[in-house]
Structure formats: C-alpha cells, structure tokens
Amino acid sequence: MRRLVELQQKLLPDLVQVLRERYMLLRSIDHLQPIGRRGLAQAMGTTERILRAEVELLKDSGLLHVSAAGMNLSVEGQQVLDEMEPLVGELFGLTDLAEQLQRLLGIPEVIVVQGNADQSPWVKEELGRVAARVLKQIVQENDIVAVTGGSSVASLAHHLSAAPVFKTVQFVPARGGLSERAELQANTLASQMAARTGASYHLLHVPDRLQPEALQTLKKEQQVQEVLNLLRQARIVLHGIGDAISMAKRRNHSEAEIAELQEKGAVSEAFGYYFNEAGETVHHMPTIGLQLEDVKKAESVLSIAGGESKAKAILSFAKQSCQNVLVTDEGAARSLLSARL
Amino acid sequence: MRRLVELQQKLLPDLVQVLRERYMLLRSIDHLQPIGRRGLAQAMGTTERILRAEVELLKDSGLLHVSAAGMNLSVEGQQVLDEMEPLVGELFGLTDLAEQLQRLLGIPEVIVVQGNADQSPWVKEELGRVAARVLKQIVQENDIVAVTGGSSVASLAHHLSAAPVFKTVQFVPARGGLSERAELQANTLASQMAARTGASYHLLHVPDRLQPEALQTLKKEQQVQEVLNLLRQARIVLHGIGDAISMAKRRNHSEAEIAELQEKGAVSEAFGYYFNEAGETVHHMPTIGLQLEDVKKAESVLSIAGGESKAKAILSFAKQSCQNVLVTDEGAARSLLSARL
DNA sequence: TATCACCGGGACATTTTAAGTCCCGATCAA
DNA sequence: TTGATCGGGACTTAAAATGTCCCGGTGATA
C-alpha cells in the first residue's frame, strides 16, 4: 500500500497537493462546524471564492451538507476524515515537515525528500534530483551561479540536464581546492554542471592552505581577480552544509585545529566558515573565494543537506538568514523538529 | 489498498481518471520510444499541446527524459510502469468495465459502481448516489423529468439534494399505481424527489389493471390528460430495468400470465413493457402513462440497474437503443461481459 | 557526406476556467 | 423583532489551458 502512495506521488504530484488541501478543509469544517463560507475562509487563510469552489465539490461528493446555519460534515464526511487520519502521515508527511521547518528555520522554501541520507545512499541522489529541479526553476538568463564542493552539490550536478536558458549561464566555483577528493571539489563540479547543461564555467586555481604572503600574491593574479569579480556578482549560490568536525577532518586539519574548533563550539561549516550553534563565525579558513558577505548579497541561496547527522549544522547555518531554499531529507527534518519540541 | 483509493476518490473524484491517463501515456511511450510529441499525440488520439503539458509534468518527476530523438522512459519511469502493472486491474477495473459495456451495449455513457447489488444491499445505495449525481449534472432549467417506480429509482430519490436549478423542474410519474409497495411507486418517488430538490411535481392517479372501458374513460379526464401531455415533453427519463418474471410476480400477475411471458421469452421489463432477449416487445401492460415512443423522444434516458440477476434484462433493454446513461454495478457488468466472451 | 524528416522548445492568439467582489433574500439566534 | 450571518447569484477581471505554427538543430538515411 505504501508503494501505491509513492507511485501516486511520482505520477500525480499535483493531485496529492489538492488532496492535502481538501483534507485540511474537511478537518477545519469538522472543527468549526457549523461554519459559513466567509468565516471558514478567514479561519483557513484563503479567500471566499476559492473556498466556495472546493466546498461545492465536497458537497457534490456528499461529504458535507450546507444549511442556512453553515456547513456541517455529513456522516460520510466524518467517516472519510476518520479513515484518512492514519494515512495522512504517509501522504503528506513530507510536506508537513517542510512547513514546520520553514517556520523553525525562517527559510522561505523548504523541501523535504523521503528517507535518511545517513542510512540510505540513494537519498542523497534524491536530494540532488530535487535540488536540480529547483535550480532549473529559478535560473535565469545571464545568471552567475556560485558552486561549492561536497557530495550534496555533486549529486545536484549529476541530475542536471540541458535547458536553453543555461546557454547564457556561468558556473563559478566558490572556492579553490580544499584538499578534498577531486570529484567533490568546486572546480570539478562547476565544470560538470556546465558540461551537462550547456552553460559556460570558470575555474579557480588556488591551492589550499597557503601562507598569507602567497595568498596575497595570488589574489592579485589577473585570472583569480576575474573569478572573484564574478563571484561577487553571483545571483545564485549552490552549497552544502557540513558538520564542522567532520569537515575539518576531511580537510586534514591538524588535531590541534580540530580541538580548537571543538572548544569554540563549531557545529557547522559552509564556504570555509565555521559557525557555532548561535550562528556566530568561530573560524574562517584563509583561502580565496566566495565570502559570506557575497552570499548574503546573492538573490537565491540554495542549500542542500540531508541526514540526521546534519541536523545541528543545518540549524546553525540557518541563523545566517541568507538561505532562500533548503533541500533536505526526512532524517534531518525529523531530528531538527524533535530536538525543538 | 482498495480503501485508500476509495477514500482518495471521494476527495478527488477524477484521481483514477488522471492516474489512468498518465499510466497509459507512460505505457505508450514505453512501447513507441523514442517518440516525439506529435507522433505520440496522434498515436494516443490527443492533441499535441495537451500531451505536452503531461509530458512536462512527467519529465519534471523524472519519469522520462527527452532528447532530440524523442522521449524515452527513464529507469525510474520504467520502474514505475512495472510496479503499476499489477495494480492496474484493481485500479481501473471499473472504468474498464464501463468502457467495455459502452461498446457492448451501445450506450454513450456507462458508470459501474463497485460491488454486487444482489449480495450487498449498500450497493443499491451507491447506485442511487451516483445516479443522483448524474441527474444533477444533466438537469436544466424547466426540465420535465419522467420518473418510474422501483427500488433503484427510489435509491436515487434518497440521494438527491436541493439545487437552485430544480426550482423550475417538474417531476412527473411515468405510470400510475402498479400494485407495488407504496414507497416504490412512481407517484411516491416523484413527490419525494420534488420535496428533496425543491422542484414541483405531479401525480398520476390511475389504478392498476383497469378494464379497457374504464381506461378509456380515465384517459379523457382533464387531470390525466395534463400529466400525459407533460410526459410526452419529458426531456429526462429516470427508470430502472426489471427482470421480467420477478417484476410480473411482484405485480401479482396470475400464474397463467407469467407462464405466457415465459413462453414468449420475456426477460426484461421497463415502463410496463416486457421485452425478450432480442429486445422485441412481447407484452405491454394496459395502463396509462409514459409510452416507449415518448422515451425514445426524450433527450436523456438514465437507466439504473444493478446485480448480476439484472444482467440479461439490461442487455435486452439496451436493444431499444434509447438510453444515454446507464448506472450499474460490478456484478451486472461482469456477468454481462463474461456471457459475451 | 548531404539531405530531409522529425524533434523539442518557443511564441502567441484564443478559449476556457478560476478567482475577486458585491449583492440579495432567507434563516437563525438573541 | 431585530440584526448578524448564511448560501447562492451575478458580474468582472485575472489566469491558466489549449490550439497552432514556427524555428534551429539532430539523427537517420540515402
């Protein structure tokens, strides 16, 4: 039966949304009955006319009847409501989670995919697929898209496909090499995305962990300057959110550095910045690339992070209030919400 | 699982229909891939633009991808298709049955509800509910609706509800008393329908089984004349279809009459006419009311009959080719179709 | 390798449907 | 009896769906 629900969501995503609205409507009526159109519209935060159409449909289905006193659920409507109760979680669970996260984190749009990336590898693919869809929706002509590294963003890259609009788009790596595996580095991903979509791309050839003098020298390089300029104009930023300690280890930080990060309470990492639970920057890796202030200037910041292990990191980074869209999974979402209850 | 679909269908009446269409679309693509929009539209008997919207949705769901060569199912799409296969029978069974009946009986619209009225009493209620919905859809201002007796039509009456359009509608009994229980007689039902919908109604006070002279006298009565006139102008006819022998018994025909009906091969009854398997009139009760020729002049004839015991009768009456809508049940439908295979 | 039919995506006019808004007589509660 | 609220109607406006044609490009075929 569960499988049927999943099939429906694949094949009828639009209808599931409608189903959800109708269910909520029934539930509201159940709660407020007898209630009139206008009162109900106000209570549900919708308009009178739009509600009217729905009510007429439900009336024709025999789920409610109307009288001069207002609307009441019919016996059948009550029954439908009762029988749907246990299915609601499955049918709409993810949407519900998303809405709760929107409120909790203050992010305009949150999308939750099924599963837990910590447990099931395919969930990361699903995150990427959904994030790719979001990107295709928000991308515009002549956009500059800043891209970080990491497995989440890599998964996004895998699921991009060509579209005409991408012809004028530029993908720009947000950072140089960060001692990670090549296939997860921003440079690689930017070029992959460009190849898949028909966009153009740039590379930022800056080795990781430079001495301050070398850094200054490189910053003056023509090529580097150009890329940095582009980054500052980025309209879209694609990035993952990392757990601070895991990221530090993956980047081969020394034991001492890691200890220092722990002492400072670092829980999340993004763009080379480490943040504590309150969202304060506790450390900043001295490399060249996209700066936090650039991210905040960007119009669309698309974050991708899944798995319950990322929950704290997601919460921490959300304090920056710079995200527009968060694509996450059930594992992270439930962990976040249960911690706050 | 079945219950889930039923629940959803109450809230989303065309869920199954849409699901069916999308499934067929996927299947067609699977079969014809790679195929372009225009080719596919032609193959599926739809238009390019409408197909395009569907394709875009499925593409966004990741079930298919498009290339310059045409569309192909994605791995996921193939998977969805495979997994739906075993569900198709159950999901679309009734729709399929309805379509097959449309072809077999030559009736423009056939609706099949779940169950078998012979076995489950509630199926008759469902028949009535669906038929009532159909009536509400087809009724227009100033309509004259001819109504026969019987339990099927009674069930329709129970499920009617008020609507503004009914204020100008007149319900007219198709026949006078027919020695049945009062609550199943046309007069009763016409008044019931009027009461429930806010329509007006007429009564036909003609006793059953009159001597020919008395019949002639009554026919000249002012009141009777008026009702007969209305019947002749009926735009909508609501009627059940009876099994010939059962009907004869219920109406207290004599043993001799029943034997005669059997001998003549009567299998169905409607409007006081008895028909054989070929659809020929083998007997006509000498009472006043709606004539078969009036039925054939009506724009909409809505037949209601369920239960496998009615299968033969339905087939027989369909030969009259006067029906526009048939509401029946699974029991009758399967019986009809298996007999013809 | 040249040709050509077919492909997807775009554009746009037109139709259809949804939605916003206000009104009215009926009905119920105070 | 009064007054607020109800459902349903009517009408305008906004938005979405649809029909239709075009274009540059791709892939198969000759």
Side-chain angles (χ1 to χ4, degrees), chain A residues 180-254:
Chain A
E180 301 191 61
R181 285 182 292 159
E183 70 264 25
L184 297 183
Q185 286 191 18
N187 276 323
T188 319
L189 298 181
S191 73
Q192 254 184 35
M193 290 181 185
R196 288 189 164 271
T197 56
S200 55
Y201 68 102
H202 299 262
L203 292 179
L204 187 53
H205 292 297
V206 179
D208 196 14
R209 327 219 81 199
L210 286 174
Q211 298 304 315
E213 313 87 56
L215 209 64
Q216 288 308 318
T217 317
L218 261 177
K219 269 190 182 168
K220 286 172 189 150
E221 272 290 318
Q222 174 80 35
Q223 277 195 11
V224 172
Q225 281 284 346
E226 276 176 18
V227 172
L228 288 178
N229 260 328
L230 285 172
L231 281 176
R232 283 190 206 101
Q233 300 163 41
R235 202 183 70 86
I236 298 179
V237 177
L238 307 179
H239 75 104
I241 301 172
D243 169 60
I245 307 303
S246 318
M247 285 306 287
K249 285 181 181 160
R250 204 193 308 167
R251 285 175 181 164
N252 299 319
H253 287 223
S254 70

Side-chain angles (χ1 to χ4, degrees), chain B residues 37-38 47-50 52 68-69 164:
Chain B
R37 262 194 338 237
R38 287 172 268 265
T47 69
E48 176 194 337
R49 195 61 181 73
I50 203 164
R52 193 167 165 176

Side-chain angles (χ1 to χ4, degrees), chain B residues 90-304:
Chain B
E90 218 171 324
L91 280 174
F92 311 135
L94 301 183
T95 327
D96 270 347
L97 282 178
E99 279 180 9
Q100 290 179 54
L101 281 186
Q102 272 174 35
R103 283 192 294 273
L104 174 63
L105 304 176
I107 298 174
E109 188 178 353
V110 175
I111 301 177
V112 179
V113 308
Q114 203 203 338
N116 184 339
D118 290 345
Q119 288 165 12
S120 327
W122 53 265
V123 172
K124 202 141 223 166
E125 292 306 307
E126 185 68 9
L127 283 171
R129 203 180 64 76
V130 170
R133 205 183 60 206
V134 172
L135 174 60
K136 283 182 84 168
Q137 274 170 6
I138 61 178
V139 77
Q140 294 173 7
E141 296 271 326
N142 299 114
D143 269 350
I144 295 168
V145 182
V147 177
T148 70
S151 59
S152 302
V153 179
S155 155
L156 188 164
H158 297 154
H159 290 88
L160 277 174
S161 58
V165 64
F166 279 116
K167 281 182 183 149
T168 59
V169 169
Q170 297 171 286
F171 286 100
V172 187
R175 308 198 66 78
L178 283 169
S179 305
E180 297 186 65
R181 286 183 291 159
E183 69 263 26
L184 298 182
Q185 287 191 16
N187 275 324
T188 319
L189 298 181
S191 73
Q192 254 183 37
M193 290 181 184
R196 286 189 166 273
T197 57
S200 55
Y201 68 103
H202 299 261
L203 292 178
L204 187 53
H205 293 297
V206 179
D208 194 21
R209 328 217 80 202
L210 286 176
Q211 296 306 313
E213 313 85 69
L215 210 63
Q216 289 308 318
T217 317
L218 262 176
K219 269 190 183 168
K220 286 171 192 152
E221 273 289 322
Q222 174 79 36
Q223 276 196 9
V224 173
Q225 281 286 346
E226 277 175 17
V227 173
L228 289 179
N229 260 328
L230 285 171
L231 282 176
R232 284 191 204 100
Q233 301 163 40
R235 201 183 71 86
I236 299 179
V237 177
L238 307 179
H239 74 103
I241 302 173
D243 168 63
I245 306 305
S246 318
M247 285 306 288
K249 285 181 180 158
R250 207 196 302 171
R251 285 173 180 166
N252 299 318
H253 288 226
S254 68
E255 291 290 327
E257 284 170 314
I258 292 178
E260 187 188 340
L261 280 173
Q262 273 175 322
E263 191 189 319
K264 287 179 178 168
V267 292
S268 69
E269 185 277 346
F271 311 110
Y273 293 78
Y274 289 86
F275 306 96
N276 65 14
E277 277 192 3
E280 294 154 352
T281 307
V282 293
H283 182 67
H284 179 195
M285 287 183 69
T287 56
I288 288 172
L290 191 73
Q291 302 301 306
L292 195 51
E293 63 202 71
D294 299 329
V295 177
K296 295 194 174 177
K297 280 189 307 189
E299 279 180 47
S300 294
V301 178
L302 170 54
S303 312
I304 314 164

Side-chain angles (χ1 to χ4, degrees), chain A residues 160-173:
Chain A
L160 277 174
S161 58
V165 66
F166 279 117
K167 280 180 185 148
T168 60
V169 169
Q170 297 172 286
F171 286 99
V172 187

Side-chain angles (χ1 to χ4, degrees), chain B residues 310-331:
Chain B
K310 293 282 185 75
K312 273 200 285 189
I314 292 170
L315 184 62
S316 157
F317 184 71
K319 297 274 162 62
Q320 301 303 317
S321 301
C322 63
Q323 298 157 287
N324 296 90
V325 187
L326 167 67
V327 179
T328 185
D329 67 5
E330 226 180 325

